[in-house]
Amino acid sequence: MRFLQSLITTATYLSTSIATFHTTGNGPQSPLLRHGNSNRTVSAILFAELEELARIVDISYCVGLTGLGIIKPFQCLSRCSDFPSFELVTTWLTGPLLSDSCGYIALDHGKQRIIVAFRGTYSIASTVVDLSTVPQEYVPYPGSDDEKDEGAVSEDVSKETLHGIDGHTKRGVIAVEDKQIKCENCTVHMGFHTAWLHTRKRILADLNVQTLLHPDYELNLVGHSSGGVVAALAALDFQGRGWDPIVTTFGEPRMGNKGLVKFVDDRFKLDETQDDDTKMKYRRVTHIDDPVPLLPLTEWGYAMHAGEIYISKPSLSPDIRDLEHCAGDSDQECIAGHDATAAEEDGALSVRKRDLLSSVRDEIHDVVNEPWGIPSRYKLWQLFFAHRDYFWRLGLCVPGGDPGVGGEKYGEVRKGELR
């Protein structure tokens, strides 16, 4: 019954959009997906896209495992069969630490996309403990290493490849020069920054080739957990190369200070309200019980950028009515409302629904100090699950994803109106 209700709700959204498109008397117009600047509703089309991207980033957890991993053309133990139009370009794995990175690049010939998927760390538990108990170091952004163009097309693309490209490439990068705009008074998390620098050396050559060979393909970056921050730093780098990436992250931690937050907001125009939410260039998805988007701590100088889409339902699987667009960098109706360490900008004490970080601290104390290391109150493992629960339970490279844990109804929806 719940699935039927969800399907009816979703179909109603689509029907309204399609009817608006076909019946307007002034000729063809874009479907009216959101009504008014204050509307927090997520459109049915964006909802379906986010669910799909959750499965796409889940596949990245197959990289680095013993066994097959992801093999060409696009096969793995997880959800690769959901994407028959995908063609694997490459995978990468720089190591198991927070300052390392892992993921894959694939071509989607069906929707004409270049997909770059960034996986989270090996241990979600250790990541939460580290980010919430150890003061996180930061460095200036961009640093001197950012200015080195290890992936310049003139060095990485063979003459044969260049000669094989006919006509004009809209990205205009035969001999690219990094024209990254400087971010004044910006600092970035040192570990995440290092992870991107490691990744940069591994993927730029392949991306340069693919953007030249497929100039009409849309560049899509998707990341989960720490992979979300690496995707964000990658997107800033790519913008400096003249590329125009679309970024989607799930459970993204804070990457830097308020200067960097403003820089990200400006570069992706996140302060601008769009009636059509499918045109958003950056979608940062958070979850009501996920503490990771509140880490590293505000008291250490970290902040989060705008573009948030908030899942208010604690358990799997969310319906379209469980998602909402959030306003600005720290909307108190979204995940920022669970951070009691941050006061509102006017200095007044804000009313909080729940201090999610206190739950994390209390449970970590029990893990460290109790004889058996078992949390006694909020159950830290529930927080870890929440960090993985984005439409599906992410992070296990097993057939069909994590078996029996949410998301089954989306398969039926994909067969219907949304695909």
Side-chain angles (χ1 to χ4, degrees), residues 59-118:
I59 293 171
S60 66
Y61 282 89
C62 293
V63 179
L65 294 177
T66 56
L68 294 177
I70 307 176
I71 60 175
K72 295 183 178 182
F74 194 71
Q75 299 175 358
C76 64
L77 290 177
S78 184
R79 308 180 189 278
C80 291
S81 59
D82 292 353
F83 303 98
S85 64
F86 275 30
E87 175 189 352
L88 180 66
V89 175
T90 189
T91 62
W92 77 88
L93 172 62
T94 67
L97 304 177
L98 191 62
S99 58
D100 287 303
S101 177
C102 181
Y104 69 90
I105 302 173
L107 300 174
D108 177 3
H109 297 299
K111 296 184 178 180
Q112 294 193 323
R113 298 180 292 183
I114 300 173
I115 300 289
V116 188
F118 299 84

Side-chain angles (χ1 to χ4, degrees), residues 13 33-42 273-274 325:
Y13 269 82
L33 300 178
R34 297 173 67 202
H35 304 269
N37 292 341
S38 62
N39 196 335
R40 300 167 69 92
T41 303
V42 172
T273 302
Q274 294 184 344
H325 288 282

Side-chain angles (χ1 to χ4, degrees), residues 134-149:
V134 181
Q136 300 296 298
E137 296 185 63
Y138 49 82
V139 294
Y141 178 86
S144 57
D145 287 339
D146 297 84
E147 298 172 0
K148 298 176 182 178
D149 195 9

Side-chain angles (χ1 to χ4, degrees), residues 302-343:
Y302 287 85
M304 182 48 76
H305 59 79
E308 181 181 2
I309 298 173
Y310 181 61
I311 300 177
S312 60
K313 182 181 179 181
S315 59
L316 289 172
S317 293
D319 298 313
I320 191 171
R321 62 179 175 270
D322 299 316
L323 274 67
E324 63 180 299
H325 288 282
C326 306
D329 300 326
S330 55
D331 189 333
Q332 295 303 298
E333 296 300 317
C334 298
I335 195 64
H338 302 294
D339 182 5
T341 67

